[in-house]
Amino acid sequence: MTQSLPTAPDDSANLADVLPSCLVALGAADAAWVRANGLEARIALRPARSAVVVLVDGLGAGALGARAGHARFLTGTRKRLRSGFPTTTAAALTTLTTGRAPGVHGVVGYSGWNPDTRTVMNLLGGWDSEVPAGWLLTPTLFTEAAALGIDPVVVGPTRYRTSGMTANVLGGARYVAADGIPERVDAAIAETAGGRSLVYLYVPELDSIAHKHGWQSDRWTAALEALDGELARLDTGVARDVGVLVTADHGILDVPAESNVTIAPELLADVVGVAGDPRCRQLTVAPGTDVPALVEAWRAAVGKRAWVASKDEAIDANWFGPVSEQVLPRIGDVVVVARGSWAFNDDRDLDPRRTPSRMVGQHGAMTDEETGVPLRLAGAFAN
């Protein structure tokens, strides 16, 4: 069964542009520096002394637009960015902090294949126990900012302060712990009161609520409304020469119970590693496996519920951006990307007598709901 695969654009502003654009706006870098470092700075920002970059985990532009009446500040403009692929926090956040695509920085999904140990590693919470030193292949732009005379600061919940992911993906920045959203906003205002700083403020609350209750739930809407008020306060609380940029790592959609598919065991017979999210599966196969035949078997089984590509096809379609030789073996031999609201679950290790627990809100694939994220410019960046 032939399948025409979507291609990922590489000429539009996305998460990789955020920090380079901020460094240019702060006067710490120029176009020559951006080019010399192989980066892009396609977000036009007004000059500023300092900047606050707010990343709201899981806030898709589509969901935000659907709840515009509850988010007057965030919907003050309707600018958007493209998240990238896969639309999952580990990959997208690393793209933001390094300015590189997953095929370059090496964090290719929520979980990924380690070709040295031949195991699947958790690339979100596994940095303390599973992920080997040196897995991240590019330096963070926080490290670059410090070298350019900018004070890089991360403001986030206390529980992430000493995590391995923070040490790696947010490496080079000073961590300021603040547990509530109001306290994080206060910290960001304080950190930009003087000097030249680049502050990254992380908001995980909406994503957590969406996973459990869905973005269409009353709880999610209430959390969005509260966040919107705090971000409006951030806008008025920072000094006039401080820019504010609000975006997200990915969007999210609600997956109905009947759209959660249990992967047929025969489709996993030759698979030695199942990585990624239920909406973006990366399958590593045993040596000698007929990959084209497996791709065709998957395509026949899922039909229009998913895009199914071999590794080579996915790379040719630019799904992961440019892919280095070091990253190549980390990507699955077969990549299954859900279309619509489907999700594909590996239930082989579950108790067949119990009903599986599924997340309501999910992400990882390349629908507009997942790839489109807001871009709200405020403070000195407002235009």
Side-chain angles (χ1 to χ4, degrees), residues 36-339:
N37 285 274
L39 302 168
E40 296 282 357
R42 290 170 288 202
I43 305 171
L45 299 174
R46 294 177 181 271
R49 170 181 56 83
S50 292
V52 179
V53 173
V54 182
L55 185 125
V56 185
D57 201 323
L59 181 60
L64 177 60
R67 297 292 181 267
H70 298 271
R72 298 298 176 86
F73 170 76
L74 280 168
T75 56
T77 59
R78 295 299 178 94
K79 296 178 183 290
R80 311 171 45 133
L81 291 177
R82 181 173 55 84
S83 169
F85 175 83
T87 47
T88 194
T89 299
L93 180 53
T94 310
T95 292
L96 177 93
T97 62
T98 65
R100 317 281 182 173
V104 177
H105 60 61
V107 181
V108 297
Y110 164 74
S111 58
W113 180 253
N114 184 333
D116 296 323
T117 61
R118 297 194 60 78
T119 58
V120 173
M121 303 183 304
N122 185 312
L123 296 174
L124 186 63
W127 291 81
D128 296 295
S129 56
E130 304 173 50
V131 183
W135 190 260
L136 182 62
L137 299 177
T138 54
T140 72
L141 288 169
F142 297 129
T143 300
E144 300 287 352
L148 294 170
I150 302 295
D151 181 24
V153 181
V154 169
V155 178
T158 303
R159 65 184 182 276
Y160 300 137
R161 182 174 195 165
T162 60
S163 75
M165 187 175 188
T166 294
N168 286 271
V169 174
L170 303 177
R174 176 167 50 87
Y175 198 96
V176 174
D179 287 326
I181 294 174
E183 289 73 27
R184 272 172 259 156
V185 168
D186 290 341
I189 293 171
E191 290 295 334
T192 56
R196 301 173 71 208
S197 56
L198 175 60
V199 176
Y200 166 77
L201 193 164
Y202 180 54
V203 180
E205 283 84 353
L206 267 69
D207 188 67
S208 298
I209 293 170
H211 282 314
K212 188 173 183 180
H213 302 286
W215 76 264
Q216 298 181 75
S217 67
D218 291 342
R219 294 190 187 194
W220 191 90
T221 301
L224 174 66
E225 193 169 80
L227 171 65
D228 191 73
E230 286 301 316
L231 294 181
R233 185 169 69 85
L234 173 66
D235 178 33
T236 58
V238 295
R240 295 181 63 183
D241 58 355
V242 175
V244 176
L245 185 156
V246 184
T247 190
D249 51 351
H250 56 75
I252 200 162
L253 49 75
D254 292 353
V255 176
E258 63 272 16
S259 295
N260 274 286
V261 177
T262 296
I263 302 171
E266 59 268 23
L267 293 175
L268 299 173
D270 297 316
V271 174
V272 296
V274 180
D277 298 274
R279 288 187 51 76
C280 180
R281 288 301 186 194
Q282 295 187 47
L283 312 175
T284 300
V285 301
T289 298
D290 186 339
V291 172
L294 183 59
V295 168
E296 289 305 315
W298 267 90
R299 287 176 177 172
V302 303
K304 294 183 178 180
R305 294 178 294 179
W307 305 108
V308 183
S310 67
K311 178 190 300 192
D312 289 344
E313 289 174 327
I315 291 172
D316 288 344
N318 200 45
W319 287 2
F320 297 91
V323 177
S324 72
E325 289 297 322
Q326 285 176 282
V327 176
L328 190 62
R330 302 180 183 184
I331 297 172
D333 297 299
V334 178
V335 185
V336 181
V337 181
R339 301 168 70 178

